[in-house]
Amino acid sequence: MLQGCVPWPEEAAARYRAAGYWRGEVLGGLTAETAKSDPGRIAIVAGGRRHTYAEVNERADRLAAGLHALGVRAGDRVVVQLPNSVEFVVLCLALFRLGAPPVLALPAHRRSEIGYLCSLTEAVAYVCPDVVQGFDYREMAREIGRDAPGLRHVLVAGDPAGFRSLDEVAEAVPAELPAPDPGEVAFFLLSGGTTGLPKLIPRTHDDYAFQIRATAEAMGFDENGVYLAALPIAHNAALGCPGVLGALRAGGTAVLAGSPSPDEVFPLIAREGVTLTTLMPAFLPLWLDLADLFDVDLSNLVIEVGGAKLQPEIAARVRPELGATLTHWFGMAEGLLCFTRPQDPPEAPVHTQGRPLCPDDEMRVVDEDGRDVPAGAVGELIARGPCLLRGYYRAPEYNERAFTPDGYLRTGDLVSLTERGELVVEGRIKDVVNRGGEKVPAEEVEEHLLAHPAVRDVAVVAVPDRALGEKTCAVVVAAAGAEPPTLGGLRDFVQARGLAEYKLPDRLRFVDALPRTSIGKIDKVTLRRRFADRADPAQRR
Ligand code: OOB
């Protein structure tokens, strides 16, 4: 396995193979079979264009050859930051074929995150779009390039402005390439639940092929299925649950949208006959309120909702008001998936996040000392299984804390299990703000805020928000003698340091000193409680 990754113990790997979870499938081959048996079938619909299996498959072959000609080799890492587009999918297939794992950054990431990913992974290439929503990724690439000596190529989808055009690389003549080992890392996902700087999750061909196959089966998604990707496909939820990759593996169609906003997706759902999609809970009220304005029949649609707390009263409205089938998900990029099945009774997704994907997913609920809590009680969820990593990439010290000695991931989520083994998410102990499904690592933001001359001390905590569930509040101890910082000033400051916009603080509160626990850690429980109801005066009306 790629250096810096932690393999599963041989005993577990043998068990997962014997049980038929890991079948030696490689992700580069996802489109190959359908491209041969039914070349004219539509694989991807994006930006109003339809792309056949034959086209997508051939473009991936050409791009793999072109990247190889540039010197990209098996084991090299490539940071990929593209919006939902056919280029994104073709590039991933090409890199899977080469065995050069893409590191999937989110479109919202900026200099701080991308620069860090490039240096952590010693990436040989960074692939970005030209300009999206007024943001010029090429300018950012120029800045990053200065600090990343190992970065040999910047490839641009669109106008390359002095860099190399991705399209041009994709003009190469397809070449025979050795198939990668299915036990190898196929790509890296970013963790949404770790502390400090972003952590990388290695996903192998074997484990992800199992995830997309088994989730497709559970959702009843086959070659007649049409999956709508309305969330960024760099995120596990839209990439592979079964997502775009699962849709391609099944021989179905993936429709790529730029956002889950009703005016964009409802016409697409109607026109393309979408059967499955994924949403974060924050968008569901909008769908419920606006669906009537669009003449769209959702009775054949299954919606997967997860990533953040879904309010039961919103969940209960889905079937009666939209006519669609709701499935409720607890997912992690780390590889644990629990969800209610479409055929479960309608009340199941209202109250629980369902059962794990795999019968061999081992989930335990433990107390602070790591002892199993009594049945039904709340504790931290720890888990291991055929999709669950055994270590973050190049993070040996962090891994010591993040995993138990026998390989269970400490999820940092507080849960309980129902008598029937269904998961109920009850809270969280990890220091993350879940901002409508986008995860903001508090420590990472605190470090940037601490660099501000008017900030002596700071704690970033979650405060309740009606629309997003949670927002980010910076609790600041102002530096003596300095003009106290303003929220706008702090946001500009952190943004200028290259942090993604969704991580900028939403609120600012001042204290004379941060409360500490008996062992000297910042007492965030007290801070959260103290500022919860004062966060948004509009909410109290
Ligand atoms: C999904 O994945 P990530 O990696 O962005 O975030 C994982 C974390 C979990 O550890 C948990 O804290 C939170 O997101 N979460 C939920 C939740 N589902 C995830 N918190 C409350 N209720 C839920 N239902 O978010 C993700 C990956 C695949 C599918 C769906 C979501």
Side-chain angles (χ1 to χ4, degrees), residues 190-193 235-237 241 280 305-310 328-334 337 353 411 413 425 428 430 434 437 439:
L190 262 73
S191 170
H235 191 276
N236 190 30
C241 299
M280 296 283 169
V305 178
K309 187 168 175 54
L310 168 61
H328 191 175
W329 289 61
F330 168 86
M332 295 184 85
E334 280 78 352
L337 297 174
Q353 284 85 21
T411 65
D413 289 301
V425 182
R428 192 168 65 229
K430 57 190 165 195
N434 192 334
K439 316 300 182 324

